[in-house]
Amino acid sequence: MTGSLEPAERVQAVGPSGIRRFFEIAEERDDVISLGVGEPDFSAPWAARDAAIQSLERGKTSYTANRGMYDLREAISRYVGDRFGLEYGPDEEILVTAGASEAVDLAFRAFVDPGDTVAVAQPAYISYGPGVTFAGGEVLPVRTREEDDFRLTVEALETAGAETADLLVLCYPNNPTGAVMSRADLEPIAAFAREHDLAVLSDEIYAELTYDERDTAADASPGTATHASIATLPGMRERTIVCNGFSKAHAMTGLRLGYALGPGGAINAMNRVHQYGMLSAPTTAQYAALEALDSCGDDVEAMVDQYNRRRRFVISRFREIGMPCFEAKGAFYVFPEVPDGWDGIANEFAERLLRERGVAVVPGDVFGVGGEGHLRVSYATGLEELREALARIESFVDQHV
Ligand SMILES: Cc1ncc(COP(=O)(O)O)c(C=O)c1O
């Protein structure tokens, strides 16, 4: 560093988010329908908001334990056990964080040494790459393919040379593709991780937003939800950190609450970083989260049903319009291809769609390899707006393709 506050090289190495430019264009006009953001259009369940208000009225405005309130850790322990078959004790194996974002960042800072290689299954959530860079690591992109429904395969890991990596980042259900991995899909990935001694960071923030059981009840994972966590596979618990949180299924993005699950030693290492950088997650949000787990299961269920209806509608409309769209089974995104006959790149499609029809979507290449030629479309928006947005996309395609 010089006296001129020159940003560190690690910071300079990371450019501005590829999504930001689109938001800037969208802000210039007032008729834009945004299918660009990854944020629920619902408010947090009332009982959770009320618990936050009550906690403030009772003057609960101090720090909590670094690891989070014990009651909340107990509730998380019960919840992940009941829903996903994940067994983590409240004393040493759960860390409450400021959003899943902090949990992911702590994992990079706690486990990545300068020069370590972090394999990231892509297309992927945009924060992993910068998070690895800030921690001094190198990203190894592992390309997932539409032919595989954007699921990670051992072949993709081998092609990328991931056997030499130190850490593998997975995100299923996936942002941006909406792909999910069943237990059977995860088994060979787990075998690869065990064989090559890879640690795994599994971002499962969209775990509740898994739609298979609603349509087919086809999958068989432990717990009561369809979502399968790689940490439940043999030999994986000791090498996996699971991240989750309340932003998506509980519609609590602004409350900033998440958590990490892992073996005690690993969670202790993450807490070592957390206790100096964050001290504790927001107290008000912890009270809201405790209530969300205690009494808001039906609210979550109702929101997930809405997303599922929208999902089916959006996929079928894209196909009608002539934009191939694989069957996304999780999260609240679809990942259609730009239409056959469009002779520009996805970036240009998204920019012109925004300027000419006022619909904001995100070009797939900002999510890394495998995203080219695709658009990320969020359906965390009301059905009426989705109908209108799809009609505008159709007229744009009819005009230009
Ligand atoms: C895959 C993924 N992980 C983490 C986050 C951030 O979650 P939080 O709001 O809990 O920090 C997001 C938000 O879009 C996400 O898509």
Side-chain angles (χ1 to χ4, degrees):
M1 187 176 123
T2 68
S4 61
L5 287 179
E6 181 78 3
E9 279 171 26
R10 288 193 308 274
V11 176
Q12 292 192 40
V14 172
S17 144
I19 298 182
R20 208 183 57 187
R21 198 165 60 84
F22 282 83
F23 291 136
E24 282 164 7
I25 304 173
E27 271 169 18
E28 290 164 11
R29 43 193 291 179
D30 53 17
D31 62 339
V32 170
I33 302 179
S34 178
L35 309 182
V37 289
E39 168 159 54
D41 58 320
F42 301 102
S43 294
W46 171 245
R49 281 183 273 159
D50 194 39
I53 295 165
Q54 297 300 323
S55 77
L56 290 172
E57 288 194 339
R58 285 186 288 128
K60 303 290 185 191
T61 54
S62 312
Y63 297 129
T64 67
N66 293 140
R67 290 166 184 273
M69 296 186 327
Y70 194 80
D71 287 359
L72 176 58
R73 281 183 275 143
E74 271 186 330
I76 290 170
S77 171
R78 278 194 302 274
Y79 164 75
V80 297
D82 292 348
R83 293 291 292 157
F84 311 122
L86 290 161
E87 288 178 13
Y88 293 91
D91 293 308
E92 296 241 294
E93 297 181 327
I94 297 175
L95 177 64
V96 179
T97 56
S101 304
E102 196 216 349
V104 169
D105 188 52
L106 288 175
F108 292 143
R109 291 201 283 155
F111 306 119
V112 176
D113 275 318
D116 277 358
T117 303
V118 179
V120 180
Q122 295 186 357
Y125 177 47
I126 53 171
S127 294
Y128 303 137
V132 170
T133 306
F134 293 144
E138 308 275 336
V139 174
L140 178 73
V142 181
R143 181 193 195 112
T144 64
R145 311 166 76 89
E146 181 150 17
E147 300 90 282
D148 304 317
D149 286 344
F150 290 108
R151 287 173 294 197
L152 179 62
T153 60
V154 168
E155 196 192 346
L157 287 164
E158 284 170 353
T159 306
E163 54 280 351
T164 60
D166 301 286
L167 177 68
L168 169 64
V169 181
L170 301 179
C171 173
Y172 294 98
N174 182 266
N175 172 9
T177 62
V180 298
M181 299 269 287
S182 69
R183 197 173 165 78
D185 296 328
L186 288 167
E187 264 159 12
I189 306 301
F192 183 92
R194 288 191 303 265
E195 185 187 344
H196 300 290
D197 198 21
L198 271 180
V200 175
L201 173 59
S202 183
D203 182 344
E204 301 180 17
I205 187 133
Y206 295 103
E208 286 283 359
L209 279 63
T210 303
Y211 305 106
D212 244 11
E213 65 186 348
R214 284 154 210 279
D215 293 341
T216 61
D219 202 344
S221 58
T224 55
T226 311
H227 171 69
S229 173
I230 194 162
T232 60
L233 296 181
M236 292 308 292
R237 189 182 188 281
E238 55 265 41
R239 58 177 67 248
T240 303
I241 298 290
V242 176
C243 297
N244 203 332
F246 295 84
S247 286
K248 310 295 174 175
H250 295 88
M252 283 171 43
T253 44
L255 280 87
R256 311 304 309 125
L257 209 74
Y259 51 91
L261 313 169
I267 291 295
N268 279 339
M270 288 170 68
N271 189 36
R272 208 171 307 152
V273 183
H274 168 84
Q275 72 187 347
Y276 292 112
M278 189 61 66
L279 286 80
S280 62
T283 303
T284 313
Q286 292 191 51
Y287 281 101
L290 184 55
E291 186 62 32
L293 292 181
D294 276 355
S295 74
C296 301
D298 289 348
D299 301 83
V300 172
E301 180 71 11
M303 290 188 274
V304 176
D305 270 347
Q306 286 292 325
Y307 291 134
N308 195 22
R309 288 175 53 189
R310 299 167 182 183
R311 175 182 71 101
R312 291 210 214 94
F313 168 73
V314 171
I315 292 174
S316 72
R317 282 293 279 129
F318 273 117
R319 289 176 178 167
E320 254 170 46
I321 292 170
M323 295 174 67
C325 187
F326 98 104
E327 191 81 22
K329 294 268 174 74
F332 39 53
Y333 309 101
V334 290
F335 208 56
E337 290 172 44
V338 296
D340 272 350
W342 170 264
D343 41 58
I345 54 173
N347 215 301
E348 184 191 304
F349 185 96
E351 190 164 333
R352 287 184 64 186
L353 177 66
L354 178 54
R355 289 194 193 281
E356 295 176 28
R357 294 293 192 285
V359 178
V361 299
V362 183
D365 43 5
V366 307
F367 302 99
V369 297
E372 313 82 9
H374 290 79
L375 304 169
R376 187 191 77 173
V377 177
S378 162
Y379 53 86
T381 300
L383 256 184
E384 277 319 300
E385 273 187 296
L386 287 172
R387 255 188 251 289
E388 169 63 20
L390 269 301
R392 293 190 198 180
I393 294 172
E394 185 163 39
S395 93
F396 178 81
V397 170
D398 285 348
Q399 185 188 342
H400 292 294
V401 179

